[in-house]
Amino acid sequence: MPPLPLVVNATTMKSPFRHLIDFPFRAPGILSDPIYRPLSITFIEYQDGDKLGLILAWFSMLPFIYIVSLCTLIIFRRDIQTIMYLGGFFVSGIINHFLKIICKQERPERTRNRVDFYEIYGMPSAHAQSFFYFMTYMAIFVILKSQMPGSSKTRPIRHRLFVFAQILAAILVAYSRVYLYYHTIAQVVVGGCLGIIFACIWYYFVNYQFIKYVPLIVEHPLAKYLLIRDYSSIPHIIHFQYENEYNEAKRCRDRYANSNHDQITMEEL
């Protein structure tokens, strides 16, 4: 004889399950007919079995990976340049949001049919605009920093490769949005151009206007408490940090070794 189906009476259900039925603040029908929606900002689809689509889907995730990396960098470095670099992304995002409302140009038909999962408007592409902003700003920073007074006018090969890799990554991100049917070609082209223009404007603002107030900011007690610092006047910052941290670590190792040697000598005596 097959086992009888389990029947649960909601009125007699005892703890610890009764709170699932009698939750005092639940909206009507929340347990009977739940609706789940993905977080659209990270919801990226590609056709099953399409290997190129899979690769481009990961490229489409690069802006979010870049943002997380920048936040991590800010936590550990806390320098004005990086903070303003990330701040430009948020300003660019606000501009993109209002431009989409003004233009009101819908996405490609494949994505338009799933408006519950995506923002309905796609002009200009936020992915293209944000990532071209990131890459253009960084390219300008690398190029100009390598040509500071007293430095060689010939840019090292690593700088050229770095700039080329940024341009290639930005193009692939923009192409991924078209290939995966999230945007039209026009939407990513406009987004990319806006990102480049805004990066140039923001770089000028940060490094030629805002920089005048940086000494006042870093000297403020709150900034000192938060360990906010300014590296903009130091050329070749990575090399500078490496040399100083290497020398300090070496001094600490030498002190530790001498301390252990003195302790052993005292014990022998």
Side-chain angles (χ1 to χ4, degrees), residues 135-148 151-156 159-160 162-164 166-167 203 236:
M135 298 298 97
T136 303
Y137 188 103
M138 182 57 66
I140 297 172
F141 183 84
V142 169
I143 292 171
L144 295 185
K145 279 292 183 179
S146 66
Q147 292 184 336
M148 293 186 68
S151 65
S152 174
K153 295 298 181 181
T154 303
R155 289 185 290 275
H159 288 169
R160 300 179 186 181
F162 185 68
V163 171
F164 174 77
Q166 291 178 103
I167 296 173
Y203 185 90
H236 308 297

Side-chain angles (χ1 to χ4, degrees), residues 21 72 89 98 123-125 181 246 252 262:
I21 300 299
T72 304
F89 160 76
F98 285 104
M123 172 63 86
S125 166
Y181 297 99
Y246 175 84
C252 290
D262 294 340

Side-chain angles (χ1 to χ4, degrees), residues 8 10 13-23 31:
V8 180
M13 182 180 290
K14 297 182 179 180
S15 181
F17 303 104
R18 188 174 181 80
H19 68 284
L20 297 176
I21 300 299
D22 295 333
F23 187 69
L31 293 178

Side-chain angles (χ1 to χ4, degrees), residues 166-228:
Q166 291 178 103
I167 296 173
L168 180 61
I171 292 173
L172 287 173
V173 168
Y175 176 69
S176 72
R177 304 303 290 174
V178 176
Y179 183 89
L180 299 173
Y181 297 99
Y182 290 105
H183 292 283
T184 64
I185 295 177
Q187 289 169 358
V188 298
V189 169
V190 172
C193 291
L194 287 173
I196 293 172
I197 294 171
F198 178 74
C200 296
I201 295 172
W202 191 252
Y203 185 90
Y204 173 80
F205 167 73
V206 171
N207 292 275
Y208 295 94
Q209 300 299 323
F210 177 78
I211 197 69
K212 302 173 184 177
Y213 307 99
V214 168
L216 297 176
I217 295 174
V218 297
E219 292 299 327
H220 192 275
L222 179 60
K224 289 186 175 181
Y225 176 76
L226 296 174
L227 304 178
I228 304 299

Side-chain angles (χ1 to χ4, degrees), residues 106-115 118 120 180-184 187:
E106 295 182 339
R107 294 173 181 267
E109 185 176 355
R110 176 186 177 277
T111 305
R112 196 187 312 155
N113 294 334
R114 305 194 66 187
V115 294
Y118 312 102
I120 185 171
L180 299 173
Y181 297 99
Y182 290 105
H183 292 283
T184 64
Q187 289 169 358

